[in-house]
PDB file of all heavy atoms in Angstrom:
ATOM      1  N   LEU A  88      10.361  -0.737  18.483  1.00  0.00           N
ATOM      2  CA  LEU A  88       9.286  -1.496  17.972  1.00  0.00           C
ATOM      3  C   LEU A  88       9.082  -2.826  18.691  1.00  0.00           C
ATOM      4  O   LEU A  88       7.894  -3.157  18.937  1.00  0.00           O
ATOM      5  CB  LEU A  88       9.552  -1.779  16.379  1.00  0.00           C
ATOM      6  CG  LEU A  88       9.250  -0.755  15.447  1.00  0.00           C
ATOM      7  CD1 LEU A  88       9.712  -0.924  14.041  1.00  0.00           C
ATOM      8  CD2 LEU A  88       7.724  -0.375  15.383  1.00  0.00           C
ATOM      9  N   GLY A  89      10.197  -3.446  18.973  1.00  0.00           N
ATOM     10  CA  GLY A  89      10.029  -4.656  19.827  1.00  0.00           C
ATOM     11  C   GLY A  89       9.375  -4.502  21.123  1.00  0.00           C
ATOM     12  O   GLY A  89       8.457  -5.230  21.548  1.00  0.00           O
ATOM     13  N   ALA A  90       9.843  -3.411  21.798  1.00  0.00           N
ATOM     14  CA  ALA A  90       9.319  -3.084  23.229  1.00  0.00           C
ATOM     15  C   ALA A  90       7.809  -2.757  23.028  1.00  0.00           C
ATOM     16  O   ALA A  90       7.001  -3.044  23.805  1.00  0.00           O
ATOM     17  CB  ALA A  90      10.095  -2.005  23.740  1.00  0.00           C
ATOM     18  N   THR A  91       7.424  -1.865  21.997  1.00  0.00           N
ATOM     19  CA  THR A  91       6.200  -1.566  21.747  1.00  0.00           C
ATOM     20  C   THR A  91       5.248  -2.693  21.412  1.00  0.00           C
ATOM     21  O   THR A  91       4.142  -2.714  21.799  1.00  0.00           O
ATOM     22  CB  THR A  91       6.183  -0.325  20.669  1.00  0.00           C
ATOM     23  OG1 THR A  91       7.147   0.606  21.129  1.00  0.00           O
ATOM     24  CG2 THR A  91       4.740   0.200  20.575  1.00  0.00           C
ATOM     25  N   ALA A  92       5.830  -3.667  20.604  1.00  0.00           N
ATOM     26  CA  ALA A  92       5.053  -4.768  20.305  1.00  0.00           C
ATOM     27  C   ALA A  92       4.694  -5.556  21.596  1.00  0.00           C
ATOM     28  O   ALA A  92       3.538  -6.071  21.600  1.00  0.00           O
ATOM     29  CB  ALA A  92       5.748  -5.564  19.353  1.00  0.00           C
ATOM     30  N   ALA A  93       5.566  -5.673  22.484  1.00  0.00           N
ATOM     31  CA  ALA A  93       5.371  -6.453  23.662  1.00  0.00           C
ATOM     32  C   ALA A  93       4.206  -5.775  24.531  1.00  0.00           C
ATOM     33  O   ALA A  93       3.485  -6.415  25.254  1.00  0.00           O
ATOM     34  CB  ALA A  93       6.544  -6.456  24.624  1.00  0.00           C
ATOM     35  N   LEU A  94       3.935  -4.416  24.226  1.00  0.00           N
ATOM     36  CA  LEU A  94       2.895  -3.675  24.958  1.00  0.00           C
ATOM     37  C   LEU A  94       1.604  -3.854  24.092  1.00  0.00           C
ATOM     38  O   LEU A  94       0.530  -3.502  24.645  1.00  0.00           O
ATOM     39  CB  LEU A  94       3.294  -2.208  25.106  1.00  0.00           C
ATOM     40  CG  LEU A  94       4.483  -1.993  26.068  1.00  0.00           C
ATOM     41  CD1 LEU A  94       4.834  -0.474  25.980  1.00  0.00           C
ATOM     42  CD2 LEU A  94       4.178  -2.456  27.445  1.00  0.00           C
ATOM     43  N   GLY A  95       1.622  -4.334  22.884  1.00  0.00           N
ATOM     44  CA  GLY A  95       0.423  -4.415  22.008  1.00  0.00           C
ATOM     45  C   GLY A  95      -0.166  -2.972  21.662  1.00  0.00           C
ATOM     46  O   GLY A  95      -1.319  -2.888  21.496  1.00  0.00           O
ATOM     47  N   ARG A  96       0.728  -2.032  21.422  1.00  0.00           N
ATOM     48  CA  ARG A  96       0.273  -0.691  21.236  1.00  0.00           C
ATOM     49  C   ARG A  96       0.323  -0.278  19.766  1.00  0.00           C
ATOM     50  O   ARG A  96       1.382   0.310  19.342  1.00  0.00           O
ATOM     51  CB  ARG A  96       1.005   0.301  22.100  1.00  0.00           C
ATOM     52  CG  ARG A  96       0.889   0.159  23.633  1.00  0.00           C
ATOM     53  CD  ARG A  96      -0.479   0.771  24.044  1.00  0.00           C
ATOM     54  NE  ARG A  96      -0.679   2.087  23.659  1.00  0.00           N
ATOM     55  CZ  ARG A  96      -0.332   3.210  24.284  1.00  0.00           C
ATOM     56  NH1 ARG A  96       0.335   3.065  25.488  1.00  0.00           N
ATOM     57  NH2 ARG A  96      -0.626   4.410  23.827  1.00  0.00           N
ATOM     58  N   ALA A  97      -0.678  -0.516  18.932  1.00  0.00           N
ATOM     59  CA  ALA A  97      -0.750  -0.102  17.680  1.00  0.00           C
ATOM     60  C   ALA A  97      -0.511   1.333  17.299  1.00  0.00           C
ATOM     61  O   ALA A  97       0.205   1.724  16.275  1.00  0.00           O
ATOM     62  CB  ALA A  97      -2.088  -0.628  16.999  1.00  0.00           C
ATOM     63  N   ASP A  98      -0.972   2.212  18.302  1.00  0.00           N
ATOM     64  CA  ASP A  98      -0.820   3.728  18.117  1.00  0.00           C
ATOM     65  C   ASP A  98       0.680   3.979  18.122  1.00  0.00           C
ATOM     66  O   ASP A  98       1.146   4.815  17.332  1.00  0.00           O
ATOM     67  CB  ASP A  98      -1.630   4.418  19.083  1.00  0.00           C
ATOM     68  CG  ASP A  98      -1.240   4.031  20.510  1.00  0.00           C
ATOM     69  OD1 ASP A  98      -0.962   2.946  20.782  1.00  0.00           O
ATOM     70  OD2 ASP A  98      -1.417   4.948  21.380  1.00  0.00           O
ATOM     71  N   LEU A  99       1.380   3.446  19.064  1.00  0.00           N
ATOM     72  CA  LEU A  99       2.900   3.759  19.098  1.00  0.00           C
ATOM     73  C   LEU A  99       3.645   3.070  18.008  1.00  0.00           C
ATOM     74  O   LEU A  99       4.576   3.707  17.574  1.00  0.00           O
ATOM     75  CB  LEU A  99       3.362   3.286  20.475  1.00  0.00           C
ATOM     76  CG  LEU A  99       2.719   3.962  21.714  1.00  0.00           C
ATOM     77  CD1 LEU A  99       3.328   3.315  23.088  1.00  0.00           C
ATOM     78  CD2 LEU A  99       2.925   5.434  21.704  1.00  0.00           C
TER      79      LEU A  99
END
Side-chain angles (χ1 to χ4, degrees):
L88 278 169
T91 305
L94 298 172
R96 295 285 306 271
D98 57 330
L99 298 177

